[in-house]
Structures are given as C-alpha cells and as structure tokens.
Amino acid sequence: MNKTYHLLTGLHFAVCTLAMIWPGALIANRIEPTVLGLPFLFFWYILWMLILFVGMWIAYVVRHGGGRHE
Amino acid sequence: MWFATGVVVMNDSIIVVGITLTYLVLVLWVGLRARGQENSSLEGYVAGGRHVGVVILFFILGAEIFSAFAFLGAPGWSYQHGAPAFYILAYLSLIPITIWAMGPRVAKLGRERGYLTQGDMIADHYQSKTLGILAGVIGVLALVPYLTIQIAGAGLLFQAATDGLIPFWLGALLAFLVVAAYVFCSGLNGIGWTNLLQGIMMIVIAWFLGLSISERLYGGVGEMFSQIQLTMPKYLTMPGATGMNWGYFSTAVLVSAFGGAMWPHLFMKFYSADSGKTLRKVSVFYPLYAYLLVPLLFIGFAGILTFSDSPLERSDTVLLRMVMDVANFSPWVIGLMLSGALAAAMSTGANLAHTAAVVLVRDVVGPTLMKSASEKAVVSATRWSVLGLSLVAYLCALANPASLVLLLLGAYGLIVQLFPMVIGALFMPQLRRASVMAGALVGSFAYLMMEFIWSSPLNWHAGTWAMLLNIGVVAACQWLIKPAFAKPSPTNR
C-alpha cells in the first residue's frame, strides 16, 4: 500500500502541475465556453486549484485520517 | 472622478486615517497580547516552542506569501498583461506540494537535532560552519530588501489613500513601528495571532472589492468579461496582451513554486509546526488561500476596460485608482481597503523582520562573534536585531535606492540554488559536500550571469537553467569524483 500511495500522490502532484503550465494548459487556452461568467482559461486555473486541494485532502485522510501520528 | 471642495476631501481623508489607525491599534493590541511565557527561550521566540497548530500555521504561511504584491502587483499584472497573470494563481497553489513533501521531514530533523534555521541544518549535515554562515549571509541579503519593499508599499498606500494627509515617510514609519513592536515583544506567537487577524481582513476586503467593483461598473463579473471579450479578447488567453511565451510562463511557475520554499522565512516555519501531520494538513488547505487572489485579478481586468483610452503610467496603481477615483466608494470603504492592503504588507513584513533577525544572529553572528553567548543573550540579540534590521529597511525605503530590486533578484536567485543542498540534507545522504557546493556555485554564477548580463536561452526563466546546471554538476561530481578518504558506510561508497 505504501508504494501505491506514494505513486498515486506523486502522480496527482505531477498532473496538477502539468495542467497549470505547458503543455497541459494549452488545451484550455480559449475564452469559450465561459463558466460561472469566467473565460475558460481563468476557470481552468480555478478548477485545478480545487482538484489539487481535493486530491491532497484524500491523500491526507488516507495517510493520517486514523489518528496515527507520524 | 469627483470634484469636491477642499474641506470635503479633508474630512474624507480624516475618516480614512481614523479607520486605518483604529485597525493598526487593534493589530498592535493582538500582537502584544500574544506574548507567551516561553518567549524568554530561543525556541519559544523563534519557533513558538515548536508547537504551533494547524490554524495559526495556515495563516502564518499564507501571510508570508501574500504581501503588498497581492494588492498592488497582482492586479497590476492582470491589468497590464491579462492572462499571463494566472501564473500567480498557478505557482501559489503549487507551493503546498513542496510543503507536503519536505515539511514533515524538516520538522522532524529540527526537533531531533535542535535546528532553528536553514543554515543550522546545512552546517550540521555537511559538517561545515562556512556553508551555514554563507547561507545566512545570502538569506539576510535577500530578506532586508524584501522587507524594504513591504515598508515602502505601506508608505505608498497610506499616502495615496489619504490624499497625502499622511505622507510617505509617516505612513511607512507607522506600519513599521507597529510591526517591529509586536515582533520585538512577542516573537513568533505575536506573528501568528496577528496574521490570523490580518489574513481574515485581507480575504474579506479582497472579495468585497473584487465583486463590488465589477458589479458597480459593469453589472457583474460575467458581464465584465463579455465586454473584454468583445473589445479586447487578446487579454483573456495566452500569450496575453504583451505576448508572454509559454516557456517563460511555465518555467517561472516551476521556479517560484518549488524554489519558493527555500526562502528562509518559509523554510523556518516548518520547524515551528507541532507535528508533521499538522504541516500536511496546512498544505492540504493551502491552495484555498490562493483563491484570495482571484477577486484581486478581477480588479485588474476591470481596469483594462476602464483605462482603455488613457492607460495608467504605473500598472501597480490600478487597484488604488479603481477604488479611489473610479468606483466612487465612500471614505469608509477606502479606509477598509487601506487597512486590508496594509494587512498584506505588514503581515509579510513581520515575518521578514523576524526571520532576518533570527538568521543574522543564529547563522552569521552566532558562529563568529557570539560563540559562547548564553541563550538569554542570544534571544535579546535577536530582539534588538528585529528593531535594527527594520530600521535599516525603513531608511532604505526612504532613500529608495534603485539597486534594491537588483539586490532582491540576485539574492533570491542564489537562495533557490540551495535546493539540491537541502534535498541532500533531507533525503539523499549519499550527496557529498563537494558535489553540492560545486553545484550551488555553478548554479549561482550562471543565474547571476543570465539575470544581469546575458539573456536567458529560449526566454526561459533564468532560475530554471541555473537549477538544471546546478543539478547536472552535482550529478557529475557524484559520478566522477570518488572521495579520497571515503569512510566505509552504507550510504557513502
């Protein structure tokens, strides 16, 4: 489980990072469709900030959720 | 624009000053009240006794990142460049990855071996006092100009928001006195509690201003963006209005996000956490703090439409101009805006003054002039250094030497080059002193050359090339040079 855990968190971090820079952000480099009134590229960044948070939260609960201290 | 008589303007300014002074007194009161009993010990003064909890640590780390730049520079970026300003959102939300990966290990080592600074860890791990002193000197050289910028930002904000009733020198002095007073008396505890207050203030003010400005001028955020799309669509996608390429954008995000944790004021806070679990929890919630910038970017985008006919001379005044001249807010709102923006400058300034003083005394003066000083003497030297360094920064802000930004850029670039050295100390014991030193030297030299003399290849951020070179040299040294007197140990071939 430990190896899979580190692999998955590492993958999550890598995907989030690449989504916010080249080449990931290339696919979102447009104005339409607007979401919540924001141009798509702006929304893209707000979305990935949220995805980063949710992924880290899951990783935290899996590792530290049982009250186990490091 | 309104054309009021002098009397009305004067009254308005007095309301603005009144609100802001009330806020400063409140911050001072919270800061002084936070003084704990443990402040007489070095660990207490520097690292809050190593038991700072999740909420306070979250606001401390948040406040360090959101400086005067958040209220002045960030809206300025979206006003001037458009979409490239998203680079700020990207790197701020990626910083917690470094905290997640590195923080718990730093906290554990600090607890076991009594480290309080970056220099402590480097000097001890590589068995070299010189390296520790060097890290300390570079740290102070980067922190003091950074502090100067915060103090100057506070002075500018005061002067602009009160129509000159509080001049630059007085505004800067007020903000710096409040900060120096509570950092002097209460150490990290003072910083923690005031950053909680200032953080909440910043978030509330930023969202209020961002939403109400786009509402008042354009009838809402969505409406505002559709108008920009009709008239100036190039602002809304990369490469923006000024043609920033993806290479620079991406490498700047990477350097700021992953090199940023080398800043001493960030790094040292890892030691103050009550556990590695706390640091992990803080990093989970950290991307949410970056949402603070979203409404501030709105204000810059609003400025694109408002000032399309007569562009601003200085883009970083866009928020001030929008709030004071365009949106026609009451002086109460202007007073709150000033307080919120001062909160950003002061909460970062407090951390910088505290860290610079600790690094100066612990890493630079400690191993040289104060070798056998008692703990009490060290604490008191640190306190007085807070005042001394703040005073130096204040005088620099008054003199405003042009070389300041260069010093900040240069020193910051050098700090980032400590990265392989720190990774070696934390995770890779097989890295040898000679390798990491050679890497840091080559990386630093290459950075300074690219920043000040040549231009950087492919237009990438100079720090990225320097870091690649740095890592390359470390790897080459590890392969090529066999240690002459290698001790037979499992980690050192």
PDB file of all heavy atoms in Angstrom, chain B residues 437-468:
ATOM      1  N   MET B 437      28.328  21.726  -3.128  1.00  0.00           N
ATOM      2  CA  MET B 437      28.929  23.066  -3.151  1.00  0.00           C
ATOM      3  C   MET B 437      29.256  23.470  -4.577  1.00  0.00           C
ATOM      4  O   MET B 437      28.966  24.597  -5.001  1.00  0.00           O
ATOM      5  CB  MET B 437      30.190  23.099  -2.296  1.00  0.00           C
ATOM      6  CG  MET B 437      29.880  23.376  -0.838  1.00  0.00           C
ATOM      7  SD  MET B 437      31.376  23.523   0.129  1.00  0.00           S
ATOM      8  CE  MET B 437      31.800  25.236  -0.158  1.00  0.00           C
ATOM      9  N   ALA B 438      29.850  22.530  -5.343  1.00  0.00           N
ATOM     10  CA  ALA B 438      30.172  22.847  -6.733  1.00  0.00           C
ATOM     11  C   ALA B 438      28.899  23.182  -7.501  1.00  0.00           C
ATOM     12  O   ALA B 438      28.848  24.155  -8.265  1.00  0.00           O
ATOM     13  CB  ALA B 438      30.891  21.661  -7.379  1.00  0.00           C
ATOM     14  N   GLY B 439      27.844  22.379  -7.276  1.00  0.00           N
ATOM     15  CA  GLY B 439      26.574  22.633  -7.953  1.00  0.00           C
ATOM     16  C   GLY B 439      26.026  24.008  -7.631  1.00  0.00           C
ATOM     17  O   GLY B 439      25.632  24.775  -8.515  1.00  0.00           O
ATOM     18  N   ALA B 440      26.012  24.353  -6.324  1.00  0.00           N
ATOM     19  CA  ALA B 440      25.464  25.647  -5.915  1.00  0.00           C
ATOM     20  C   ALA B 440      26.284  26.796  -6.505  1.00  0.00           C
ATOM     21  O   ALA B 440      25.722  27.803  -6.955  1.00  0.00           O
ATOM     22  CB  ALA B 440      25.435  25.743  -4.394  1.00  0.00           C
ATOM     23  N   LEU B 441      27.620  26.632  -6.532  1.00  0.00           N
ATOM     24  CA  LEU B 441      28.463  27.704  -7.078  1.00  0.00           C
ATOM     25  C   LEU B 441      28.188  27.914  -8.562  1.00  0.00           C
ATOM     26  O   LEU B 441      27.959  29.044  -9.010  1.00  0.00           O
ATOM     27  CB  LEU B 441      29.945  27.371  -6.879  1.00  0.00           C
ATOM     28  CG  LEU B 441      30.481  27.624  -5.480  1.00  0.00           C
ATOM     29  CD1 LEU B 441      31.925  27.165  -5.366  1.00  0.00           C
ATOM     30  CD2 LEU B 441      30.359  29.115  -5.143  1.00  0.00           C
ATOM     31  N   VAL B 442      28.183  26.802  -9.331  1.00  0.00           N
ATOM     32  CA  VAL B 442      27.940  26.916 -10.769  1.00  0.00           C
ATOM     33  C   VAL B 442      26.546  27.482 -11.033  1.00  0.00           C
ATOM     34  O   VAL B 442      26.373  28.400 -11.846  1.00  0.00           O
ATOM     35  CB  VAL B 442      28.107  25.539 -11.453  1.00  0.00           C
ATOM     36  CG1 VAL B 442      27.648  25.597 -12.899  1.00  0.00           C
ATOM     37  CG2 VAL B 442      29.548  25.092 -11.377  1.00  0.00           C
ATOM     38  N   GLY B 443      25.540  26.951 -10.291  1.00  0.00           N
ATOM     39  CA  GLY B 443      24.161  27.423 -10.468  1.00  0.00           C
ATOM     40  C   GLY B 443      24.039  28.913 -10.171  1.00  0.00           C
ATOM     41  O   GLY B 443      23.446  29.667 -10.941  1.00  0.00           O
ATOM     42  N   SER B 444      24.629  29.350  -9.040  1.00  0.00           N
ATOM     43  CA  SER B 444      24.537  30.762  -8.664  1.00  0.00           C
ATOM     44  C   SER B 444      25.212  31.654  -9.696  1.00  0.00           C
ATOM     45  O   SER B 444      24.670  32.692 -10.100  1.00  0.00           O
ATOM     46  CB  SER B 444      25.216  30.997  -7.313  1.00  0.00           C
ATOM     47  OG  SER B 444      24.664  30.163  -6.350  1.00  0.00           O
ATOM     48  N   PHE B 445      26.393  31.231 -10.120  1.00  0.00           N
ATOM     49  CA  PHE B 445      27.134  32.034 -11.106  1.00  0.00           C
ATOM     50  C   PHE B 445      26.331  32.142 -12.404  1.00  0.00           C
ATOM     51  O   PHE B 445      26.147  33.242 -12.942  1.00  0.00           O
ATOM     52  CB  PHE B 445      28.501  31.392 -11.361  1.00  0.00           C
ATOM     53  CG  PHE B 445      29.339  32.139 -12.357  1.00  0.00           C
ATOM     54  CD1 PHE B 445      29.938  33.340 -12.015  1.00  0.00           C
ATOM     55  CD2 PHE B 445      29.512  31.637 -13.640  1.00  0.00           C
ATOM     56  CE1 PHE B 445      30.699  34.039 -12.935  1.00  0.00           C
ATOM     57  CE2 PHE B 445      30.274  32.328 -14.568  1.00  0.00           C
ATOM     58  CZ  PHE B 445      30.873  33.528 -14.211  1.00  0.00           C
ATOM     59  N   ALA B 446      25.817  31.002 -12.877  1.00  0.00           N
ATOM     60  CA  ALA B 446      25.044  31.010 -14.114  1.00  0.00           C
ATOM     61  C   ALA B 446      23.812  31.898 -13.972  1.00  0.00           C
ATOM     62  O   ALA B 446      23.465  32.660 -14.886  1.00  0.00           O
ATOM     63  CB  ALA B 446      24.619  29.594 -14.481  1.00  0.00           C
ATOM     64  N   TYR B 447      23.161  31.832 -12.789  1.00  0.00           N
ATOM     65  CA  TYR B 447      21.968  32.647 -12.582  1.00  0.00           C
ATOM     66  C   TYR B 447      22.298  34.139 -12.680  1.00  0.00           C
ATOM     67  O   TYR B 447      21.641  34.894 -13.385  1.00  0.00           O
ATOM     68  CB  TYR B 447      21.335  32.346 -11.222  1.00  0.00           C
ATOM     69  CG  TYR B 447      20.179  33.265 -10.927  1.00  0.00           C
ATOM     70  CD1 TYR B 447      18.938  33.021 -11.484  1.00  0.00           C
ATOM     71  CD2 TYR B 447      20.344  34.407 -10.142  1.00  0.00           C
ATOM     72  CE1 TYR B 447      17.887  33.877 -11.273  1.00  0.00           C
ATOM     73  CE2 TYR B 447      19.296  35.265  -9.921  1.00  0.00           C
ATOM     74  CZ  TYR B 447      18.063  35.002 -10.485  1.00  0.00           C
ATOM     75  OH  TYR B 447      17.031  35.866 -10.281  1.00  0.00           O
ATOM     76  N   LEU B 448      23.357  34.549 -11.957  1.00  0.00           N
ATOM     77  CA  LEU B 448      23.711  35.974 -11.957  1.00  0.00           C
ATOM     78  C   LEU B 448      24.057  36.439 -13.373  1.00  0.00           C
ATOM     79  O   LEU B 448      23.668  37.524 -13.794  1.00  0.00           O
ATOM     80  CB  LEU B 448      24.886  36.219 -11.006  1.00  0.00           C
ATOM     81  CG  LEU B 448      24.541  36.037  -9.524  1.00  0.00           C
ATOM     82  CD1 LEU B 448      25.778  36.241  -8.666  1.00  0.00           C
ATOM     83  CD2 LEU B 448      23.448  37.003  -9.103  1.00  0.00           C
ATOM     84  N   MET B 449      24.793  35.597 -14.111  1.00  0.00           N
ATOM     85  CA  MET B 449      25.161  35.954 -15.482  1.00  0.00           C
ATOM     86  C   MET B 449      23.924  36.151 -16.343  1.00  0.00           C
ATOM     87  O   MET B 449      23.805  37.127 -17.084  1.00  0.00           O
ATOM     88  CB  MET B 449      26.019  34.831 -16.096  1.00  0.00           C
ATOM     89  CG  MET B 449      27.422  34.797 -15.573  1.00  0.00           C
ATOM     90  SD  MET B 449      28.305  36.212 -16.194  1.00  0.00           S
ATOM     91  CE  MET B 449      29.157  36.764 -14.778  1.00  0.00           C
ATOM     92  N   MET B 450      22.979  35.196 -16.244  1.00  0.00           N
ATOM     93  CA  MET B 450      21.789  35.275 -17.102  1.00  0.00           C
ATOM     94  C   MET B 450      20.872  36.408 -16.685  1.00  0.00           C
ATOM     95  O   MET B 450      20.234  37.043 -17.508  1.00  0.00           O
ATOM     96  CB  MET B 450      21.027  33.946 -17.067  1.00  0.00           C
ATOM     97  CG  MET B 450      21.606  32.914 -18.003  1.00  0.00           C
ATOM     98  SD  MET B 450      20.610  31.437 -18.027  1.00  0.00           S
ATOM     99  CE  MET B 450      21.175  30.643 -16.562  1.00  0.00           C
ATOM    100  N   GLU B 451      20.806  36.672 -15.388  1.00  0.00           N
ATOM    101  CA  GLU B 451      19.893  37.711 -14.922  1.00  0.00           C
ATOM    102  C   GLU B 451      20.413  39.107 -15.279  1.00  0.00           C
ATOM    103  O   GLU B 451      19.654  39.987 -15.635  1.00  0.00           O
ATOM    104  CB  GLU B 451      19.710  37.582 -13.402  1.00  0.00           C
ATOM    105  CG  GLU B 451      18.593  38.396 -12.809  1.00  0.00           C
ATOM    106  CD  GLU B 451      17.214  37.983 -13.308  1.00  0.00           C
ATOM    107  OE1 GLU B 451      16.911  36.768 -13.352  1.00  0.00           O
ATOM    108  OE2 GLU B 451      16.460  38.877 -13.657  1.00  0.00           O
ATOM    109  N   PHE B 452      21.731  39.292 -15.197  1.00  0.00           N
ATOM    110  CA  PHE B 452      22.243  40.654 -15.312  1.00  0.00           C
ATOM    111  C   PHE B 452      23.078  40.911 -16.567  1.00  0.00           C
ATOM    112  O   PHE B 452      23.286  42.061 -16.945  1.00  0.00           O
ATOM    113  CB  PHE B 452      23.065  41.021 -14.077  1.00  0.00           C
ATOM    114  CG  PHE B 452      22.252  40.983 -12.817  1.00  0.00           C
ATOM    115  CD1 PHE B 452      22.546  40.083 -11.806  1.00  0.00           C
ATOM    116  CD2 PHE B 452      21.174  41.841 -12.657  1.00  0.00           C
ATOM    117  CE1 PHE B 452      21.779  40.053 -10.644  1.00  0.00           C
ATOM    118  CE2 PHE B 452      20.406  41.811 -11.511  1.00  0.00           C
ATOM    119  CZ  PHE B 452      20.708  40.911 -10.503  1.00  0.00           C
ATOM    120  N   ILE B 453      23.610  39.863 -17.229  1.00  0.00           N
ATOM    121  CA  ILE B 453      24.496  40.123 -18.357  1.00  0.00           C
ATOM    122  C   ILE B 453      23.958  39.545 -19.668  1.00  0.00           C
ATOM    123  O   ILE B 453      23.579  40.287 -20.566  1.00  0.00           O
ATOM    124  CB  ILE B 453      25.916  39.598 -18.064  1.00  0.00           C
ATOM    125  CG1 ILE B 453      26.454  40.360 -16.829  1.00  0.00           C
ATOM    126  CG2 ILE B 453      26.838  39.846 -19.262  1.00  0.00           C
ATOM    127  CD1 ILE B 453      27.771  39.879 -16.328  1.00  0.00           C
ATOM    128  N   TRP B 454      23.874  38.200 -19.751  1.00  0.00           N
ATOM    129  CA  TRP B 454      23.302  37.628 -20.972  1.00  0.00           C
ATOM    130  C   TRP B 454      21.792  37.567 -20.826  1.00  0.00           C
ATOM    131  O   TRP B 454      21.269  37.729 -19.742  1.00  0.00           O
ATOM    132  CB  TRP B 454      23.813  36.197 -21.186  1.00  0.00           C
ATOM    133  CG  TRP B 454      25.282  36.062 -21.101  1.00  0.00           C
ATOM    134  CD1 TRP B 454      26.214  36.917 -21.617  1.00  0.00           C
ATOM    135  CD2 TRP B 454      26.005  35.014 -20.445  1.00  0.00           C
ATOM    136  NE1 TRP B 454      27.460  36.458 -21.331  1.00  0.00           N
ATOM    137  CE2 TRP B 454      27.374  35.289 -20.625  1.00  0.00           C
ATOM    138  CE3 TRP B 454      25.617  33.864 -19.755  1.00  0.00           C
ATOM    139  CZ2 TRP B 454      28.364  34.464 -20.118  1.00  0.00           C
ATOM    140  CZ3 TRP B 454      26.602  33.039 -19.261  1.00  0.00           C
ATOM    141  CH2 TRP B 454      27.970  33.340 -19.439  1.00  0.00           C
ATOM    142  N   SER B 455      21.124  37.250 -21.938  1.00  0.00           N
ATOM    143  CA  SER B 455      19.710  36.930 -21.766  1.00  0.00           C
ATOM    144  C   SER B 455      19.603  35.410 -21.698  1.00  0.00           C
ATOM    145  O   SER B 455      20.489  34.691 -22.153  1.00  0.00           O
ATOM    146  CB  SER B 455      18.892  37.476 -22.925  1.00  0.00           C
ATOM    147  OG  SER B 455      19.322  36.872 -24.114  1.00  0.00           O
ATOM    148  N   SER B 456      18.514  34.949 -21.123  1.00  0.00           N
ATOM    149  CA  SER B 456      18.376  33.529 -20.858  1.00  0.00           C
ATOM    150  C   SER B 456      17.961  32.786 -22.140  1.00  0.00           C
ATOM    151  O   SER B 456      17.078  33.251 -22.855  1.00  0.00           O
ATOM    152  CB  SER B 456      17.341  33.384 -19.754  1.00  0.00           C
ATOM    153  OG  SER B 456      16.807  32.125 -19.738  1.00  0.00           O
ATOM    154  N   PRO B 457      18.562  31.626 -22.433  1.00  0.00           N
ATOM    155  CA  PRO B 457      18.233  30.895 -23.668  1.00  0.00           C
ATOM    156  C   PRO B 457      16.748  30.522 -23.730  1.00  0.00           C
ATOM    157  O   PRO B 457      16.154  30.230 -22.692  1.00  0.00           O
ATOM    158  CB  PRO B 457      19.089  29.633 -23.575  1.00  0.00           C
ATOM    159  CG  PRO B 457      20.156  29.945 -22.604  1.00  0.00           C
ATOM    160  CD  PRO B 457      19.611  30.963 -21.667  1.00  0.00           C
ATOM    161  N   LEU B 458      16.174  30.569 -24.901  1.00  0.00           N
ATOM    162  CA  LEU B 458      14.772  30.215 -25.166  1.00  0.00           C
ATOM    163  C   LEU B 458      13.797  31.093 -24.381  1.00  0.00           C
ATOM    164  O   LEU B 458      12.620  30.767 -24.286  1.00  0.00           O
ATOM    165  CB  LEU B 458      14.483  28.752 -24.787  1.00  0.00           C
ATOM    166  CG  LEU B 458      15.116  27.651 -25.630  1.00  0.00           C
ATOM    167  CD1 LEU B 458      14.769  26.287 -25.024  1.00  0.00           C
ATOM    168  CD2 LEU B 458      14.605  27.732 -27.051  1.00  0.00           C
ATOM    169  N   ASN B 459      14.302  32.179 -23.794  1.00  0.00           N
ATOM    170  CA  ASN B 459      13.442  33.046 -22.985  1.00  0.00           C
ATOM    171  C   ASN B 459      12.912  32.373 -21.728  1.00  0.00           C
ATOM    172  O   ASN B 459      11.936  32.831 -21.156  1.00  0.00           O
ATOM    173  CB  ASN B 459      12.242  33.536 -23.801  1.00  0.00           C
ATOM    174  CG  ASN B 459      12.449  34.969 -24.207  1.00  0.00           C
ATOM    175  OD1 ASN B 459      13.144  35.721 -23.510  1.00  0.00           O
ATOM    176  ND2 ASN B 459      11.885  35.350 -25.331  1.00  0.00           N
ATOM    177  N   TRP B 460      13.504  31.269 -21.331  1.00  0.00           N
ATOM    178  CA  TRP B 460      13.041  30.633 -20.100  1.00  0.00           C
ATOM    179  C   TRP B 460      13.450  31.482 -18.914  1.00  0.00           C
ATOM    180  O   TRP B 460      14.323  32.331 -19.011  1.00  0.00           O
ATOM    181  CB  TRP B 460      13.673  29.244 -19.950  1.00  0.00           C
ATOM    182  CG  TRP B 460      13.050  28.210 -20.809  1.00  0.00           C
ATOM    183  CD1 TRP B 460      12.237  28.419 -21.891  1.00  0.00           C
ATOM    184  CD2 TRP B 460      13.208  26.802 -20.683  1.00  0.00           C
ATOM    185  NE1 TRP B 460      11.883  27.231 -22.431  1.00  0.00           N
ATOM    186  CE2 TRP B 460      12.466  26.217 -21.720  1.00  0.00           C
ATOM    187  CE3 TRP B 460      13.906  25.985 -19.798  1.00  0.00           C
ATOM    188  CZ2 TRP B 460      12.391  24.840 -21.895  1.00  0.00           C
ATOM    189  CZ3 TRP B 460      13.842  24.615 -19.958  1.00  0.00           C
ATOM    190  CH2 TRP B 460      13.076  24.046 -21.000  1.00  0.00           C
ATOM    191  N   HIS B 461      12.798  31.209 -17.775  1.00  0.00           N
ATOM    192  CA  HIS B 461      13.189  31.872 -16.538  1.00  0.00           C
ATOM    193  C   HIS B 461      14.636  31.456 -16.207  1.00  0.00           C
ATOM    194  O   HIS B 461      14.966  30.260 -16.219  1.00  0.00           O
ATOM    195  CB  HIS B 461      12.252  31.428 -15.421  1.00  0.00           C
ATOM    196  CG  HIS B 461      12.388  32.234 -14.168  1.00  0.00           C
ATOM    197  ND1 HIS B 461      13.436  32.066 -13.303  1.00  0.00           N
ATOM    198  CD2 HIS B 461      11.636  33.216 -13.647  1.00  0.00           C
ATOM    199  CE1 HIS B 461      13.307  32.903 -12.301  1.00  0.00           C
ATOM    200  NE2 HIS B 461      12.207  33.617 -12.485  1.00  0.00           N
ATOM    201  N   ALA B 462      15.488  32.442 -15.911  1.00  0.00           N
ATOM    202  CA  ALA B 462      16.909  32.153 -15.698  1.00  0.00           C
ATOM    203  C   ALA B 462      17.132  31.131 -14.589  1.00  0.00           C
ATOM    204  O   ALA B 462      18.061  30.319 -14.652  1.00  0.00           O
ATOM    205  CB  ALA B 462      17.651  33.445 -15.376  1.00  0.00           C
ATOM    206  N   GLY B 463      16.260  31.163 -13.561  1.00  0.00           N
ATOM    207  CA  GLY B 463      16.408  30.239 -12.442  1.00  0.00           C
ATOM    208  C   GLY B 463      16.313  28.778 -12.865  1.00  0.00           C
ATOM    209  O   GLY B 463      16.930  27.902 -12.265  1.00  0.00           O
ATOM    210  N   THR B 464      15.546  28.492 -13.916  1.00  0.00           N
ATOM    211  CA  THR B 464      15.396  27.106 -14.371  1.00  0.00           C
ATOM    212  C   THR B 464      16.686  26.588 -14.972  1.00  0.00           C
ATOM    213  O   THR B 464      17.140  25.483 -14.654  1.00  0.00           O
ATOM    214  CB  THR B 464      14.290  27.013 -15.433  1.00  0.00           C
ATOM    215  OG1 THR B 464      13.208  27.823 -15.013  1.00  0.00           O
ATOM    216  CG2 THR B 464      13.825  25.600 -15.616  1.00  0.00           C
ATOM    217  N   TRP B 465      17.284  27.391 -15.859  1.00  0.00           N
ATOM    218  CA  TRP B 465      18.565  26.979 -16.452  1.00  0.00           C
ATOM    219  C   TRP B 465      19.620  26.790 -15.374  1.00  0.00           C
ATOM    220  O   TRP B 465      20.373  25.822 -15.374  1.00  0.00           O
ATOM    221  CB  TRP B 465      19.053  28.019 -17.457  1.00  0.00           C
ATOM    222  CG  TRP B 465      18.285  28.042 -18.732  1.00  0.00           C
ATOM    223  CD1 TRP B 465      17.537  29.074 -19.218  1.00  0.00           C
ATOM    224  CD2 TRP B 465      18.171  26.987 -19.699  1.00  0.00           C
ATOM    225  NE1 TRP B 465      16.961  28.742 -20.411  1.00  0.00           N
ATOM    226  CE2 TRP B 465      17.334  27.461 -20.730  1.00  0.00           C
ATOM    227  CE3 TRP B 465      18.669  25.689 -19.767  1.00  0.00           C
ATOM    228  CZ2 TRP B 465      17.005  26.685 -21.839  1.00  0.00           C
ATOM    229  CZ3 TRP B 465      18.347  24.916 -20.863  1.00  0.00           C
ATOM    230  CH2 TRP B 465      17.521  25.411 -21.881  1.00  0.00           C
ATOM    231  N   ALA B 466      19.660  27.751 -14.445  1.00  0.00           N
ATOM    232  CA  ALA B 466      20.664  27.678 -13.384  1.00  0.00           C
ATOM    233  C   ALA B 466      20.468  26.412 -12.561  1.00  0.00           C
ATOM    234  O   ALA B 466      21.434  25.732 -12.197  1.00  0.00           O
ATOM    235  CB  ALA B 466      20.578  28.917 -12.503  1.00  0.00           C
ATOM    236  N   MET B 467      19.189  26.071 -12.293  1.00  0.00           N
ATOM    237  CA  MET B 467      18.916  24.880 -11.488  1.00  0.00           C
ATOM    238  C   MET B 467      19.302  23.614 -12.241  1.00  0.00           C
ATOM    239  O   MET B 467      19.874  22.675 -11.659  1.00  0.00           O
ATOM    240  CB  MET B 467      17.431  24.847 -11.110  1.00  0.00           C
ATOM    241  CG  MET B 467      17.029  23.706 -10.209  1.00  0.00           C
ATOM    242  SD  MET B 467      17.989  23.628  -8.697  1.00  0.00           S
ATOM    243  CE  MET B 467      17.407  25.101  -7.888  1.00  0.00           C
ATOM    244  N   LEU B 468      19.017  23.571 -13.558  1.00  0.00           N
ATOM    245  CA  LEU B 468      19.393  22.398 -14.351  1.00  0.00           C
ATOM    246  C   LEU B 468      20.914  22.215 -14.328  1.00  0.00           C
ATOM    247  O   LEU B 468      21.421  21.100 -14.143  1.00  0.00           O
ATOM    248  CB  LEU B 468      18.891  22.547 -15.790  1.00  0.00           C
ATOM    249  CG  LEU B 468      17.368  22.408 -15.961  1.00  0.00           C
ATOM    250  CD1 LEU B 468      16.960  22.689 -17.402  1.00  0.00           C
ATOM    251  CD2 LEU B 468      16.903  21.023 -15.535  1.00  0.00           C
TER     252      LEU B 468
END
